[in-house]
Amino acid sequence: MKKLILASNNENKVKEIKEILSPLNVQVISLKEAGVNVEVEEDGKTFMENAYKKAKEIYDIINDESYMILADDSGLAVDALDGAPGVYSARFAGEHGNTEKNNEKLLTLMENINDRSAKFICNMVLIIDKENVIRVQGEVEGVIIKEERGENGFGYDPLFYIPEYNMTFAQMDSKTKNLISHRKKALINLEEAIRKYLQGE
């Protein structure tokens, strides 16, 4: 079985991607499981720049072509905020990963705004080997509601409402969210490439 190292220490993200890729004959392991204790600085100006930087740094550290490296960078883009928080989604309020503060800041900024349309964006880079680097994107559109709803998910999920489902991401079970999420859409674009590689085409 081919091994794929996911260049992330975000346990929620690792769990999501493992679930989504489970139908493929690929063993997905996290950085921690691979014994790599590295935090790549995400200083790119776009999601794609950050995803490539993470994948390339981990690929160079592993230095073993029997492993594929997958990195993603994803976040929330709110139309009325000119695409913010964007690449700063995880550290929107200043402290990396402080979900409570990030959501508070978003709600404050959106307080008197009528256009609440937003989208989650996921950019992924898969390094199969030095000659084969695949870049894909997935998006899911929604609305920023005025108060948090739901206990599941992470990050901005309690504020990100999908009208077709009449639920926020945080109100969905993981199976439902993983069917429609930005990560799922990006991974669908990767599946074909991984299948072809595994079949030796």
Side-chain angles (χ1 to χ4, degrees):
M1 183 183 282
K2 183 72 176 174
K3 288 186 178 177
L4 184 153
I5 295 176
L6 180 60
S8 177
N9 288 310
N10 182 321
E11 288 181 16
N12 292 304
K13 195 180 285 188
V14 171
K15 182 170 178 282
E16 256 186 33
I17 291 177
K18 278 186 175 183
E19 283 180 14
I20 293 169
L21 283 182
S22 60
L24 291 176
N25 187 31
V26 175
Q27 182 185 356
V28 180
I29 58 178
S30 66
L31 281 180
K32 189 176 179 183
E33 291 167 324
V36 179
N37 185 22
V38 172
E39 196 69 53
V40 179
E41 186 182 358
E42 298 176 19
D43 53 5
K45 292 189 173 115
T46 65
F47 293 123
M48 194 64 81
E49 279 181 26
N50 282 334
Y52 178 75
K53 184 181 181 189
K54 283 192 272 189
K56 183 69 167 62
E57 285 196 23
I58 300 305
Y59 183 82
D60 289 344
I61 289 168
I62 297 293
N63 196 26
D64 182 344
E65 292 207 352
S66 64
Y67 289 93
M68 299 186 287
I69 309 295
L70 176 63
D72 92 312
D73 194 35
S74 49
L76 181 69
V78 179
D79 292 342
L81 301 179
D82 296 321
V87 292
Y88 303 105
S89 290
R91 53 190 188 280
F92 193 37
E95 181 188 342
H96 195 282
N98 190 328
T99 295
E100 190 179 335
K101 294 289 184 189
N102 288 340
N103 285 343
E104 277 178 16
K105 180 175 180 179
L106 179 61
L107 286 175
T108 300
L109 289 173
M110 297 289 290
E111 207 164 4
N112 299 309
I113 293 175
N114 292 324
D115 176 12
R116 305 185 74 85
S117 56
K119 59 188 173 186
F120 268 123
I121 300 169
C122 175
N123 281 185
M124 286 189 171
V125 173
L126 176 69
I127 300 181
I128 294 175
D129 53 43
K130 286 176 183 172
E131 285 73 44
N132 294 288
V133 178
I134 298 161
R135 295 170 173 85
V136 295
Q137 178 166 307
E139 297 181 359
V140 60
E141 296 188 353
V143 175
I144 302 301
I145 55 173
K146 296 185 177 182
E147 59 183 14
E148 295 187 12
R149 285 187 214 161
E151 304 297 325
N152 302 326
F154 58 99
Y156 299 97
D157 286 358
L159 295 175
F160 191 76
Y161 176 80
I162 309 285
E164 305 94 283
Y165 286 78
N166 194 27
M167 282 190 283
T168 66
F169 263 178
Q171 290 175 303
M172 295 178 182
D173 57 40
S174 66
K175 187 177 178 184
T176 305
K177 181 188 173 187
N178 289 343
L179 281 173
I180 65 168
S181 75
H182 48 310
R183 243 182 293 283
K184 172 66 172 179
K185 290 178 180 178
L187 285 164
I188 285 171
N189 294 329
L190 270 181
E191 277 189 80
E192 188 69 22
I194 295 175
R195 286 184 197 279
K196 284 182 176 177
Y197 176 77
L198 294 174
Q199 289 162 7
E201 295 178 16

